[in-house]
């Protein structure tokens, strides 16, 4: 894949994440308020033979927000499926940042900085 295709895919993922957040906020305003304190990202992976492209929503939250977001996971999962996404995964941003084996700072510095803001 050349750089243009990669950047177009990344832009499409960003737009899809923003659209997911907009739909959640429009139909479920209380859950949308919870997502304001989180970082929402579309994650693409390839699985199986032949490789299938799967996309899912990753919601990075702080320690105190995680249980509140997970309480609404079924609604979020249903919305994601209606948008053609496979799953919704909630992750603890602080734990990811403090993992000594994480290479996130080198591989995706933008995400690393965004998670710094969320983890506080």
């Amino acid at each position: 894949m050349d750089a243009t295709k990669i950047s177009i895919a990344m832009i499409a993922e960003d737009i899809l994440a923003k659209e997911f957040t907009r739909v959640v906020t429009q139909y479920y305003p209380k859950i949308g308020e919870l997502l304001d304190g989180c970082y929402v990202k579309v994650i693409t992976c390839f699985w199986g033979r032949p490789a299938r492209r799967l996309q899912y929503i990753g919601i990075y939250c702080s320690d105190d927000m995680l249980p509140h977001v997970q309480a609404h996971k079924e609604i979020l999962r249903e919305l994601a499926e209606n948008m053609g996404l496979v799953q919704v995964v909630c992750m603890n941003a602080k734990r990811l940042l403090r993992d000594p084996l994480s290479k996130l700072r080198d591989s995706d510095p933008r995400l690393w900085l965004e998670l710094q803001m969320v983890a506080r």
Side-chain angles (χ1 to χ4, degrees):
M1 226 184 212
D2 66 349
T4 306
K5 289 181 183 177
I6 291 172
S7 65
I8 290 172
M10 290 175 65
I11 291 170
E13 288 174 356
D14 288 343
I15 292 170
L16 193 56
K18 287 178 184 171
E19 183 65 16
F20 176 79
T21 306
R22 187 193 66 77
V23 169
V24 170
T25 304
Q26 181 176 352
Y27 291 104
Y28 301 96
K30 299 259 185 211
I31 302 173
E33 288 177 21
L34 287 174
L35 291 184
D36 285 341
C38 302
Y39 183 76
V40 179
K41 180 176 172 76
V42 173
I43 302 168
T44 302
C45 66
F46 295 91
W47 186 262
R49 287 196 181 186
R52 280 186 39 209
R53 182 174 158 225
L54 302 173
Q55 289 183 310
Y56 60 95
I57 292 284
I59 302 175
Y60 300 90
C61 306
S62 62
D63 292 335
D64 55 340
M65 292 287 283
L66 192 60
H68 301 290
V69 173
Q70 285 182 334
H72 302 287
K73 194 170 179 181
E74 202 55 45
I75 293 170
L76 296 171
R77 185 177 291 144
E78 185 178 321
L79 287 172
E81 287 175 1
N82 287 336
M83 291 180 70
L85 302 167
V86 177
Q87 186 65 269
V88 173
V89 179
C90 300
M91 292 174 261
N92 186 334
K94 190 177 234 178
R95 183 176 288 171
L96 184 62
L97 290 172
R98 294 198 177 173
D99 182 3
L101 298 177
S102 175
K103 307 260 187 267
L104 186 62
R105 187 175 189 172
D106 299 325
S107 64
D108 195 349
R110 179 178 167 218
L111 176 60
W112 185 81
L113 286 171
E114 292 282 344
L115 293 181
Q116 293 290 334
M117 299 298 289
V118 169
R120 294 180 185 243

